[in-house]
Every structure is written in structure tokens, then in C-alpha cells.
């Protein structure tokens, strides 16, 4: 009986093996004690074919942390890992997690955000600010030009503008060729009045 090599396995089985050894839970997912499970990127060194197959899953299937200023430049898989500088590798990354501070001036433009994230598979924006309801959503408006993202989530310190965040999520999922309706700020103000009345 002839011995089978790894490459003799059907492609779908190899892909499942790659997923098992290369994919981490999203950074925003609840973790078990002990943190993330280990991954084994060493599998990419087996041979050229395995490298080509596995890198698409390692970089295309994981959620990477976007750089706070460079966005999709110098991403990293986790804070403990080195940043990625190769543009050839970055081109495979289609899922990003970005922390946006509302109480700091952003070091990127709306054009930067549109170019970095339009058309990707997934974009999760975690909103932070030092003081509860201390800032509005002006910084988030930089993402209004992002289009065609398959899965979006804006969460965190968004108590003052939940409807805007819902609108922004929808906008970022909208195909580029489809027009969008401007956000009506009066809707948010009405919602916030209810919140203020409730808090009295």
C-alpha cells in the first residue's frame, strides 16, 4: 500500500487542517482562561505549495489589529506579535479590528480610511473615550466613505450616539455604487433626550 503525503489529502481536508492550526478567535471575542490557543505558522515552511495554500488562511481568515494611525499599514495579529510590514502579505488581510479614540485627534484622513478598508471582509471598530459621553462622533465620520465591507461592527463607548453607529455600520456595508441617505442628527438628539430624562 502506497503511503500518502500531506499533499495527497483532498484540498478541503488540508484547508480544515490549516484552519485548525492557524486561526485564532477574533480579538474582541470572549476568551477562556489562559488566553488564545497557540497557532502554528511553522506549517508555512513545509513546502512552497503548503505555503501558498496556508498563507491565504493565516492572513485572510484571522482578524488583525489595525494600526491606530496607519490603519492597514503595519497590522498585527495580536499585541504580543510583531507588526507586518510586507505589502504583499498585507494584501491578503481582509479582516480588521481598530480602536478609535474620540477624545484624540486622529492621525489619518477620511481618504486614508476609505482606501484602507473599502471592500474588505470585516471591520470592527471599538470606540473609546476617557470620559463617559465626553465626546461626540466626529472622529467616526472619517469612516463614512468606507464602502462594500461585508461585516461591520461599531461598539464600545457609544452611548451618546447609538443610532449614528447603526447608520455608519449600514453605510460601510453599502456597495460603492449605491447612494446613501445622510444621517439625521435630530434622530440622535431625540434618543438622547429620552436617555437624559431617564437618568434624572
Amino acid at each position: 500500500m502506497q503511503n500518502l503525503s500531506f499533499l495527497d489529502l483532498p484540498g478541503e481536508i488540508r484547508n480544515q487542517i490549516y484552519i485548525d492550526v492557524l486561526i485564532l478567535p477574533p480579538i474582541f471575542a470572549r476568551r477562556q482562561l489562559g488566553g488564545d490557543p497557540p497557532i502554528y505558522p511553522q506549517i508555512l515552511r513545509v513546502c512552497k505549495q503548503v505555503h501558498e495554500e496556508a498563507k491565504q488562511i493565516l492572513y485572510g481568515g484571522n482578524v488583525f489589529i489595525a494600526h491606530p494611525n496607519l490603519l492597514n499599514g503595519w497590522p498585527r495579529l495580536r499585541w504580543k506579535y510583531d507588526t507586518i510590514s510586507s505589502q504583499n502579505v498585507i494584501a491578503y488581510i481582509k479582516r480588521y479590528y481598530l480602536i478609535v479614540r474620540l477624545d484624540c485627534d486622529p492621525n489619518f484622513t477620511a481618504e486614508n480610511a476609505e482606501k484602507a478598508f473599502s471592500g474588505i471582509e470585516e471591520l470592527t471598530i471599538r470606540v473609546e473615550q476617557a470620559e463617559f459621553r465626553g465626546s461626540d462622533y466626529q472622529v467616526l465620520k472619517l469612516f463614512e466613505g468606507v464602502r462594500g465591507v461585508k461585516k461591520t461592527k461599531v461598539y464600545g463607548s457609544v452611548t451618546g450616539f447609538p443610532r449614528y453607529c447603526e447608520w455608519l455600520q449600514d453605510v460601510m456595508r453599502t456597495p460603492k455604487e449605491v447612494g446613501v441617505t445622510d444621517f439625521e442628527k435630530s434622530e440622535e438628539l431625540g434618543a438622547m433626550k429620552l436617555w437624559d430624562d431617564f437618568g434624572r
Side-chain angles (χ1 to χ4, degrees), residues 26-189:
I27 190 169
F28 48 84
R30 184 170 295 178
R31 291 175 178 74
Q32 297 179 347
L33 291 176
D36 292 319
I39 60 172
Y40 302 94
Q42 300 90 336
I43 195 173
L44 274 72
R45 299 176 183 170
V46 169
C47 67
K48 185 175 181 180
Q49 182 176 338
V50 169
H51 183 275
E52 290 301 312
E53 293 175 349
K55 74 178 181 181
Q56 298 181 50
I57 291 177
L58 173 61
Y59 298 111
N62 277 302
V63 176
F64 282 77
I65 302 169
H67 192 280
N69 301 325
L70 302 177
L71 303 179
N72 66 338
W74 298 82
R76 64 177 74 212
L77 184 55
R78 287 292 187 270
W79 301 113
K80 62 183 178 181
Y81 294 141
D82 291 336
T83 55
I84 299 170
S85 59
S86 169
Q87 290 301 313
N88 290 332
V89 172
I90 291 173
Y92 286 97
I93 300 174
K94 300 298 181 184
R95 304 171 193 273
Y96 283 98
Y97 168 85
L98 175 66
I99 296 176
V100 173
R101 292 203 61 89
L102 302 181
D103 48 8
C104 299
D105 291 333
N107 289 319
F108 59 88
T109 65
E111 290 76 17
N112 296 148
E114 180 179 353
K115 183 178 179 181
F117 299 128
S118 288
I120 65 173
E121 293 286 328
E122 181 177 342
L123 177 59
T124 299
I125 299 175
R126 176 180 166 184
V127 179
E128 294 185 350
Q129 53 183 317
E131 181 181 352
F132 177 66
R133 290 178 60 187
S135 304
D136 61 15
Y137 53 82
Q138 283 298 117
V139 175
L140 291 178
K141 293 178 74 173
L142 295 173
F143 297 90
E144 291 182 3
V146 175
R147 293 289 187 277
V149 181
K150 291 186 179 179
K151 182 179 179 181
T152 60
K153 181 179 181 180
V154 181
Y155 77 108
S157 186
V158 298
T159 302
F161 37 88
R163 293 187 181 178
Y164 175 79
C165 291
E166 293 173 3
W167 174 85
L168 181 60
Q169 290 173 162
D170 290 339
V171 165
M172 293 192 294
R173 288 194 297 265
T174 302
K176 192 167 187 177
E177 63 275 9
V178 177
V180 297
T181 304
D182 291 340
F183 178 71
E184 293 291 339
K185 192 172 182 179
S186 58
E187 296 182 17
E188 200 73 86
L189 293 175

Side-chain angles (χ1 to χ4, degrees), residues 132-133 159 190-200:
F132 177 66
R133 290 178 60 187
T159 302
M192 287 313 302
K193 185 177 186 305
L194 290 175
W195 173 270
D196 290 338
D197 291 343
F198 177 78
R200 289 175 182 169

